[in-house]
Amino acid sequence: MEGSISQLGQYLGAGLACVGMAGAAVGVGNVAGNFLNGALRNPSAAAGQTATLFIGMAFAEALGIFSFLVALLLLFAV
Amino acid sequence: MANETTGAVTSATEAAAGHATEAATAAGHTAEAAGHAAGSAGMPQLDVSTFGNQIFWLLVALVLIYLILSKIALPRIGSVLANRHGTIAKDIAAAEELKAKAQEAEKAYNQALVDARNEANRIIAATKAEIQAELNVATAKADAEIAAKAAESEVRINEIRAGAMAAVSQVAQDTAGEIVGALGGTADPAAIVQAVTERLKG
Amino acid sequence: MATEGQSEGLAFHPLDQFQVKPLFGDGPIEWYTVTNATLWMGIAILAIILIFVVGTAGRSIIPSRIQSIAEVIYSFIHKMVEDIAGHDGVKYFPYIFTLFCFIGFSNFLGLLPKSFTTTSHIAVTAVLAVMVFLTVTILGFVKNGPAFLKLFWVTSAPLALRPVLAVIELISYFVRPVSHSIRLAGNVMAGHAVIKVFAAFAPLVLMSGIGYVVTPLSILAITAMYGLEVLVALIQAYVFTILTCVYLKDALHPGH
């Protein structure tokens, strides 16, 4: 119970950093949704674009992973 | 070319890793000197003292995997796949050929079937005609025999009829002479004959 | 280590699984020390030998099960390299295949209980990503000379915007190894840590009544996360490899 202000800041900051993962979730959902949208309009072209889909998802997801990393750094490494 | 480049890169990375190892061990020592309080609570991923160890073993593992794959596994799998493609292409060609042969055989079979049917029809017609001819001959022969027999019978019947007629007039004359004798008269045979003949003519 | 200190509460140690420890003895970790990281890298090498060397020893036209696994992986990566990096990228196929195999096998072996996930460490993934970065950069300059710098000069943009875009492209080029390595390590580490957090809730049934609700839920959550992690293990290996192919394409054909 004698935790300091800096510890409070760490935990608050970690929680706030995790909000950034919501953005990644929106981004990944956006990528997948738009891919599905296009794929249903033109199913014959969809098979050739799965690589692009995964690249886009990876880029969108990486930023969420960064925010998760910031949260972990705040919790454990500061 | 590729191998040279990759080799150069690998050696460069190894050199870099070597420096990193020295730096890391140095850092690790200072961290150890600084104290254990931060080390145990922090993320293991950020524990710099283990970096040199991991990087060294990672490079060893990568070089091993690269050598195993590029020297043994990949050429082998590549040749197996190429072999299979060759075999499949050959098999498909052979199958095409067999299919063409089968179609040819089917055509020949159908042709033979048609031929056989025509031949059978021809034989049937010929046999029918032959039988018909034989039949005609037999019929004619039978007709002739029947006609001959009929003529013969006619002759016989006429004879019998003539005989019967003669017998009838004889019997009538005899009967008439006997009847006349029984009635007590004497009959002139000539008169009886004449009378009977006249009656018989009726 | 957790139980003695706080036996009355739940013990959350989601990051303990990532500790690098010496296999034999308890000494300091020198660069040559045989650690659990060494052990699991060795197991990955053994698994690769088992599938790609022992499994294909038959060289049969009609493959056995293990041989068809090896062939599927081979064809998958070969097609990826050919489609993305082009025909002249096929030369680097063994290098890319090595990366895919190491990452894929490490990810999957890391999913075994009690195992150590080598790819969850920034040090490991950073080396992989820096190797790719150096290879691609050196290759780009060797193959194209100074023309490789056209990668940063976007000719399809208006002339006024090009210097700004060049700066952005340059920054994004140097951020590549960072995102490349942190994506892999972060994904793997996050998944494993989340499983560990859920696992920490599981013994609640031994301590209080609410555990009768929480424990089954946590076990269910572990199962679901595990399924997701199996997917992530494959997808992250795939993404790492496909991004390597994309960077390789940039190095071989920087014009577009």
Side-chain angles (χ1 to χ4, degrees):
Chain A
M1 280 300 113
E2 77 282 5
S4 58
I5 295 284
S6 73
Q7 212 172 2
L8 173 75
Q10 271 182 27
Y11 288 151
L12 277 179
L16 285 175
C18 281
V19 175
M21 286 157 70
V26 171
V28 171
N30 207 0
V31 172
N34 280 330
F35 175 78
L36 195 63
N37 207 347
L40 287 177
R41 277 172 206 270
N42 188 1
S44 56
Q49 298 303 320
T50 41
T52 328
L53 167 72
F54 279 113
I55 293 174
M57 280 177 125
F59 280 131
E61 197 192 13
L63 300 170
I65 293 290
F66 288 166
S67 72
F68 172 74
L69 198 75
V70 168
L72 277 181
L73 286 175
L74 282 173
L75 277 183
F76 295 107
V78 176
Chain B
M1 176 68 206
N3 280 337
E4 278 169 29
T5 321
T6 333
V9 172
T10 319
S11 59
T13 342
E14 256 166 355
H19 289 305
T21 316
E22 288 165 17
T25 39
H29 287 310
T30 50
E32 268 171 7
H36 266 289
S40 62
M43 283 168 71
Q45 275 87 349
L46 299 178
D47 187 358
V48 182
S49 65
T50 66
F51 276 19
N53 176 277
Q54 289 189 59
I55 293 170
F56 168 69
W57 286 112
L58 171 70
L59 291 176
V60 169
L62 282 182
V63 168
L64 273 179
I65 296 174
Y66 181 80
L67 288 179
I68 291 166
L69 287 177
S70 64
K71 296 287 176 239
I72 308 172
L74 295 183
R76 188 187 286 175
I77 300 176
S79 74
V80 166
L81 286 179
N83 253 348
R84 178 164 324 137
H85 279 301
T87 313
I88 289 174
K90 222 164 55 190
D91 283 0
I92 286 176
E96 290 282 339
E97 203 173 303
L98 286 178
K99 195 181 164 195
K101 269 187 189 166
Q103 275 171 347
E104 219 166 88
E106 198 192 344
K107 227 163 78 181
Y109 168 77
N110 282 338
Q111 188 57 46
L113 209 63
V114 167
D115 284 355
R117 196 168 286 145
N118 287 343
E119 180 71 13
N121 282 342
R122 201 182 54 72
I123 290 173
I124 287 170
T127 318
K128 222 180 238 172
E130 206 170 296
I131 289 172
Q132 191 63 48
E134 274 176 17
L135 203 63
N136 286 346
V137 171
T139 314
K141 203 168 141 197
D143 279 353
E145 268 175 25
I146 288 167
K149 281 264 171 67
E152 203 178 313
S153 309
E154 193 96 350
V155 172
R156 289 269 309 274
I157 288 168
N158 285 344
E159 261 171 33
I160 291 168
R161 188 177 286 156
M165 275 309 210
V168 166
S169 59
Q170 188 63 49
V171 169
Q173 286 164 19
D174 288 354
T175 314
E178 289 295 320
I179 290 169
V180 171
L183 289 174
T186 51
D188 181 22
I192 288 172
V193 170
Q194 196 185 353
V196 167
T197 311
E198 263 179 28
R199 288 302 283 196
L200 275 178
K201 274 182 187 165
Chain C
M1 154 175 164
T3 45
E4 55 186 339
Q6 22 178 221
S7 56
E8 75 281 0
L10 294 175
F12 288 97
H13 292 283
L15 299 182
D16 278 3
Q17 57 179 326
F18 302 123
Q19 268 168 2
V20 181
K21 284 172 272 186
L23 267 193
F24 312 106
D26 207 16
I29 298 168
E30 301 295 338
W31 61 271
Y32 51 80
T33 314
V34 178
T35 57
N36 47 358
T38 316
L39 173 70
W40 286 95
M41 283 177 192
I43 293 177
I45 295 176
L46 283 184
I48 288 172
I49 291 177
L50 196 69
I51 289 188
F52 290 101
V53 178
V54 179
T56 59
R59 298 167 188 260
S60 41
I61 293 292
I62 299 162
S64 62
R65 289 184 202 181
I66 296 181
Q67 193 185 330
S68 48
I69 293 173
E71 282 171 8
V72 165
I73 299 173
Y74 179 96
S75 325
F76 181 66
I77 303 298
H78 198 270
K79 189 169 173 299
M80 185 202 289
V81 175
E82 208 168 19
D83 284 354
I84 293 175
H87 270 295
D88 37 356
V90 175
K91 274 192 295 194
Y92 310 102
F93 169 62
Y95 179 59
I96 291 170
F97 198 75
T98 305
L99 289 178
F100 179 81
C101 283
F102 177 76
I103 296 169
F105 278 82
S106 298
N107 284 353
F108 275 115
L109 288 169
L111 284 173
L112 295 174
K114 292 279 179 193
S115 70
F116 174 84
T117 320
T118 48
T119 41
S120 69
H121 274 260
I122 301 280
V124 171
T125 58
V127 169
L128 293 172
V130 167
M131 273 169 66
V132 169
F133 180 76
L134 288 178
T135 314
V136 163
T137 310
I138 293 171
L139 202 64
F141 279 113
V142 168
K143 287 261 172 187
N144 305 292
F148 182 58
L149 291 173
K150 275 197 285 189
L151 185 66
F152 306 114
W153 195 252
V154 188
T155 47
S156 57
L159 189 62
L161 275 179
R162 281 181 207 171
V164 184
L165 282 178
V167 173
I168 294 174
E169 288 281 324
L170 199 65
I171 292 172
S172 82
Y173 188 79
F174 283 101
V175 167
R176 273 176 181 184
V178 178
S179 70
H180 208 181
S181 58
I182 288 181
R183 180 183 303 115
L184 175 59
N187 261 299
V188 175
M189 177 176 58
H192 286 237
V194 168
I195 288 181
K196 212 64 172 189
V197 168
F198 280 132
F201 279 110
L204 199 62
V205 70
L206 303 175
M207 299 168 201
S208 87
I210 199 169
Y212 288 107
V213 179
V214 173
T215 300
L217 276 181
S218 76
I219 291 173
L220 202 70
I222 292 171
T223 316
M225 276 307 294
Y226 195 91
L228 187 68
E229 281 307 292
V230 170
L231 200 68
V232 165
L234 186 61
I235 287 181
Q236 287 310 316
Y238 175 70
V239 162
F240 195 98
T241 321
I242 208 168
L243 286 178
T244 307
C245 290
V246 171
Y247 298 161
L248 192 63
K249 189 203 76 180
D250 280 351
L252 297 174
H253 318 280
H256 41 85

